[in-house]
Amino acid sequence: VQLQASGGGLVQAGGSLRLSCAASGIISSINIMGWYRQAPGKQRELVASITRGGSINYADSVKGRFTISRDNARYTVYLQMNNLKPEDTAVYLCTADVAMFSGNAYRPYWGQGTLVTVSS
C-alpha cells in the first residue's frame, strides 16, 4: 500500500491550498484517513481525521479554516486549507488505516509528506 500526497506549496498568509492524498495497492477497505503535520522543532500533531462513515475530528487550531473530506471510491482524502497562517507552516503527512484483504485487521500507512509554507 502506498500513499501519495500532493498539493503543498508556498502561499501568503490568508491564502488557500488544497492537499490530496491517494492510496493505492492492495486495498480491501480503508477506515480512518487523516492529516498530521510537523513543524521544525515541534512534535507531530493531528490536523484532521475522517472515518469511512464521515465522522470528522479537527485540531482546535484549524477549526473553521480547514475542511477534510474523502472519496471512498478513489481511496483519496483531501484537506482544504483556507485563511492560512504562518503558524500553519509544516510538513503535512497523510495517513490511512488500511485492510488489504477482507477480514484482515487495519494497519496504519503513511504518505511521504508535502511541505506547506505560509509567508507573512
Side-chain angles (χ1 to χ4, degrees):
V1 176
Q2 297 84 38
L3 271 64
Q4 182 68 44
S6 62
L10 173 64
V11 64
Q12 288 187 333
S16 299
L17 285 173
R18 188 189 194 215
L19 306 183
S20 300
C21 178
S24 62
I26 299 175
I27 299 171
S28 175
S29 67
I30 300 178
N31 189 10
I32 299 173
M33 303 185 81
W35 293 92
Y36 283 72
R37 67 186 180 187
Q38 187 161 20
K42 295 187 176 181
Q43 288 189 330
R44 185 175 297 184
E45 63 172 351
L46 174 68
V47 176
S49 64
I50 181 170
T51 68
R52 185 173 50 186
S55 295
I56 290 173
N57 181 44
Y58 291 107
D60 288 343
S61 59
V62 306
K63 284 180 181 177
R65 300 188 298 121
F66 291 10
T67 302
I68 190 171
S69 61
R70 64 188 281 174
D71 183 335
N72 290 329
R74 297 178 183 269
Y75 299 136
T76 300
V77 62
Y78 306 96
L79 186 67
Q80 177 66 44
M81 305 184 294
N82 297 329
N83 190 22
L84 282 159
K85 303 176 180 181
E87 52 262 43
D88 295 318
T89 295
V91 174
Y92 284 69
L93 304 106
C94 61
T95 183
D97 289 347
V98 179
M100 294 178 67
F101 301 98
S102 178
N104 278 23
Y106 290 98
R107 284 186 54 201
Y109 291 86
W110 291 85
Q112 84 285 5
T114 184
L115 177 62
V116 172
T117 303
V118 184
S119 62
S120 58

